[in-house]
Amino acid sequence: ALLLTKPKPKLAANLASIGTEDPSAYIIDRRADEVFSITVDNSLGNFTFTRKSRLINYATESGEQKQTEEYFWTSEELCGVPQSDNTVRNFIGDLASLPEKSAVENDADDLSKYGLDEPTATALLRFDDGTTFEMRFGIISPIDEGSVYFALGGTRDVKLVNAYAVSEVFSDVRQFARLLMTDSTTPPETLTITRPDLDAPLELEMTPAIAEDAAETFRFTAPISVEISSAKGRKVFYGACGLTMQSCEFPEQSDEILEQCGLLTPQAVVKFTIGETDYELKIGTETETGYYATVSGIPGVYVLAAENAPWLTATVGGLVSRKPLSPYIFSVGRVDVKLPSGEFTFTNENETFACNGSAIDYERFREYFNSLTAELDGEELTGGIGETLLTEITFSYKTDEYGRAQDTLAFYALDERRAAVVLNDTPLFSTKRINVEKIAELTTELVAES
C-alpha cells in the first residue's frame, strides 16, 4: 500500500486567513504524492526533484510487523548531500495544493507590471497522470509584502499567493539540505579535540549516571586526568549528539572549496563515536554567522553556528571543575602537606588516621580532608603561575583506581590576592589567596590538636 497521507502544509493557515476552505480557492488541488517531479528555475540557478519510493517497516497496534511504501524526492543538484525529506515534501505539497489569496486581473494586457513577463521564478510540476503545470512567480506586491504575483503558464490571469508559502521557489537547492548531522539523543562517551593552538590533543570522557537521581560526570583523560565542570562538560558532549548545522554552503567538497573554507588545515578537529558510527568534525575559517565545517561521511560543506562550536575554545583551564580532585577518603593512604611553616604527613593505615605518627580522630580528619578537596572559586589563567609556592598537597593512593599512584595539588602566588592552582604540574585556574591561607590555618590547627 502506498503512503498517500497529505502533509499539513504551511498553507493551512492561509486558507483560514482568507476566510474559506472552499476547494475552488485552490489554484491547484492535488496531493504531494501525485507529483512525479518538480523543476525550479530562478536567478540563483535551477534544480529538479524527482520522486522515488522506499519500503518502511512499522508495527500495528497488535504488534504485527508490516511494510508500506513511502514516496520521497531527490535532486542530482545536491551532489549526494542528504536532503531534509520533510522540507522537500512540504515544499512540493504546498505547490501541489496552492490556494490563491485573491484574484488581481484576468487576461491582463501588461504582465510586466507584475513581474510576470520575465518571471523571477518558475516551477514546473509533472504529475503521475501526465499533466503538467507551469507556475510563474513575479514580484512582491507593493501593497501587501506578504504576497507575490502569480500566473499559470499559458494564461494571463494574475493572482496573489502567499509569499512565505512559496518562498523556496526563490532559493537554491541548498535550502533543502538536511542539517542534522548526528541523529541521536545519547552523547558520546569519549571525545578528542585537536587544535593548532594546543600543545597536545584534549581527550575527554563521560561517565553515564549510575542512578536515576544522579548525573553523568565528565573528566579530562589527557593531557591531564582531572574532573570537568558538569555544566561545561554537558555542553561539549551534548553538542556532539543532535549536531545541527546552520546552513549548507557548498554541496561539493573539492580541494579548492575545502582550502577556501580553511578545512584542509582546520582550526579544530573533533573526533567522537555515537553508537557504532565514528565521526570527525572539522571546523574551518569564520564566516559572518559561524564557521565552515564538514562531518566525515557526509557530503557537503556547512556553516556551524559559533554558539554550537564549544570545541573551538575548549581548554583545560576553561573546562576544569573548580573542584579538581574528589578522591574517596579511604582510598587515600597518605597526604603530604607542604607549607612555608613546615611539612606534615597524614596517614591512613587500616582506617586509623595519624599526623606525623600521632593519632587523629576520624571525624576531625574527615572534616580537614574535605577542606583540602573543597570547591574553589576560580578564573581561567591568562599568564604564568608565578614562582612562589604557597602550599603543596600530595595525595598518595592505596590502589590505582584513579590510574595513577598520586596527585599533587599546588598553589603558587600570582599577586597579593590571587594564587594559581596547579595539578600535577599542569596550571588549571586562579583562585583567591584567602582560600590557600585557610588550608594553612586548618592544617596548623589539626597538627596542634594531634
Side-chain angles (χ1 to χ4, degrees):
L2 287 176
L3 186 64
L4 296 178
T5 55
K6 184 174 180 180
K8 294 181 179 179
K10 294 173 287 187
L11 297 180
N14 300 345
L15 281 179
S17 69
I18 60 178
T20 180
E21 294 186 2
D22 181 358
S24 64
Y26 284 98
I27 300 170
I28 302 175
D29 186 19
R30 306 287 288 269
R31 292 191 300 264
D33 288 318
E34 296 178 69
V35 178
F36 178 74
S37 69
I38 181 171
T39 298
V40 172
D41 194 350
N42 58 43
S43 61
L44 299 176
N46 57 75
F47 57 87
T48 297
F49 278 98
T50 304
R51 193 187 67 197
K52 295 183 179 181
S53 64
R54 59 192 167 204
L55 292 176
I56 301 295
N57 297 317
Y58 70 98
T60 65
E61 291 183 0
S62 63
E64 182 182 1
Q65 294 294 318
K66 288 192 174 183
Q67 285 187 329
T68 187
E69 190 176 13
E70 180 186 65
Y71 285 145
F72 66 105
W73 293 262
T74 62
S75 174
E76 292 184 358
E77 285 79 13
L78 276 173
C79 303
V81 169
Q83 77 261 1
S84 169
D85 288 338
N86 284 339
T87 302
V88 176
R89 172 175 280 277
N90 287 338
F91 166 59
I92 291 174
D94 286 349
L95 293 185
S97 55
L98 179 64
E100 67 175 66
K101 290 185 72 173
S102 62
V104 177
E105 183 179 0
N106 291 329
D107 197 20
D109 291 330
D110 182 12
L111 291 177
S112 63
K113 62 183 178 181
Y114 305 113
L116 290 168
D117 56 332
E118 296 182 3
T120 55
T122 62
L124 181 63
L125 274 70
R126 300 177 180 86
F127 291 89
D128 282 334
D129 59 8
T131 59
T132 62
F133 286 91
E134 182 192 14
M135 311 175 83
R136 296 180 293 163
F137 300 89
I139 61 174
I140 295 294
S141 168
I143 58 175
D144 180 2
E145 294 184 357
S147 300
V148 61
Y149 291 114
F150 169 90
L152 285 173
T155 76
R156 304 180 73 85
D157 296 337
V158 180
K159 306 175 185 299
L160 282 176
V161 297
N162 187 292
Y164 171 74
V166 299
S167 60
E168 283 94 346
V169 299
F170 303 102
S171 65
D172 70 20
V173 73
R174 296 173 298 175
Q175 178 77 17
F176 301 93
R178 187 172 188 261
L179 302 179
L180 180 64
M181 303 287 106
T182 56
D183 189 5
S184 173
T185 58
T186 303
E189 293 190 2
T190 61
L191 189 144
T192 302
I193 303 171
T194 304
R195 294 201 311 266
D197 62 301
L198 297 173
D199 294 331
L202 302 179
E203 298 180 17
L204 306 85
E205 71 175 14
M206 182 197 75
T207 301
I210 59 176
E212 291 186 3
D213 58 346
E216 62 274 90
T217 58
F218 310 92
R219 66 181 302 108
F220 283 106
T221 56
I224 184 176
S225 179
V226 65
E227 295 184 20
I228 294 174
S229 159
S230 178
K232 295 177 181 178
R234 285 183 63 84
K235 187 172 184 180
V236 168
F237 277 85
Y238 279 84
C241 67
L243 175 65
T244 302
M245 298 296 177
Q246 191 175 74
S247 62
C248 176
E249 290 299 301
F250 301 98
E252 297 182 89
Q253 289 186 8
S254 67
D255 287 345
E256 181 181 358
I257 290 174
L258 293 176
E259 183 176 11
Q260 172 188 334
C261 298
L263 289 163
L264 293 181
T265 54
Q267 292 194 60
V269 177
V270 186
K271 295 182 180 180
F272 55 92
T273 300
I274 296 179
E276 297 181 356
T277 304
D278 296 328
Y279 293 95
E280 183 178 82
L281 167 67
K282 292 183 178 180
I283 303 175
T285 53
E286 190 172 4
T287 71
E288 291 183 359
T289 58
Y291 296 87
Y292 290 116
T294 59
V295 176
S296 59
I298 301 177
V301 175
Y302 301 82
V303 169
L304 176 65
E307 60 268 24
N308 294 334
W311 315 283
L312 268 177
T313 55
T315 61
V316 172
L319 297 183
V320 67
S321 169
R322 285 351 185 201
K323 185 179 181 179
L325 287 176
S326 55
Y328 181 47
I329 187 171
F330 292 111
S331 69
V332 177
R334 173 172 167 159
V335 179
D336 291 287
V337 180
K338 183 187 293 185
L339 303 173
S341 59
E343 298 183 14
F344 308 93
T345 298
F346 301 90
T347 56
N348 172 16
E349 295 183 6
N350 300 321
E351 300 184 8
T352 299
F353 299 90
C355 172
N356 292 349
S358 299
I360 304 175
D361 175 70
Y362 163 69
E363 290 297 333
R364 185 69 180 85
F365 180 75
R366 183 177 63 83
E367 181 183 348
Y368 171 71
F369 183 86
N370 289 340
S371 70
L372 297 182
T373 58
E375 183 172 355
L376 302 165
D377 65 274
E379 299 175 356
E380 189 169 358
L381 280 169
T382 56
I385 63 171
E387 298 180 357
T388 303
L389 177 65
L390 299 175
T391 300
E392 183 179 271
I393 309 166
T394 299
F395 300 87
S396 298
Y397 305 119
K398 293 180 177 181
T399 66
D400 62 352
E401 64 180 291
Y402 297 104
R404 54 203 180 280
Q406 62 183 32
D407 281 314
T408 298
L409 189 63
F411 300 88
Y412 289 84
L414 292 174
D415 53 42
E416 293 182 355
R417 302 180 62 183
R418 307 293 297 177
V421 182
V422 179
L423 178 63
N424 299 331
D425 298 324
T426 299
L428 300 183
F429 54 90
S430 68
T431 189
K432 295 176 182 177
R433 280 187 63 164
I434 191 173
N435 295 325
V436 185
E437 293 165 0
K438 186 66 175 177
I439 292 174
E441 291 176 10
L442 294 174
T443 302
T444 302
E445 288 177 7
L446 186 58
V447 171
E449 293 176 15
S450 65

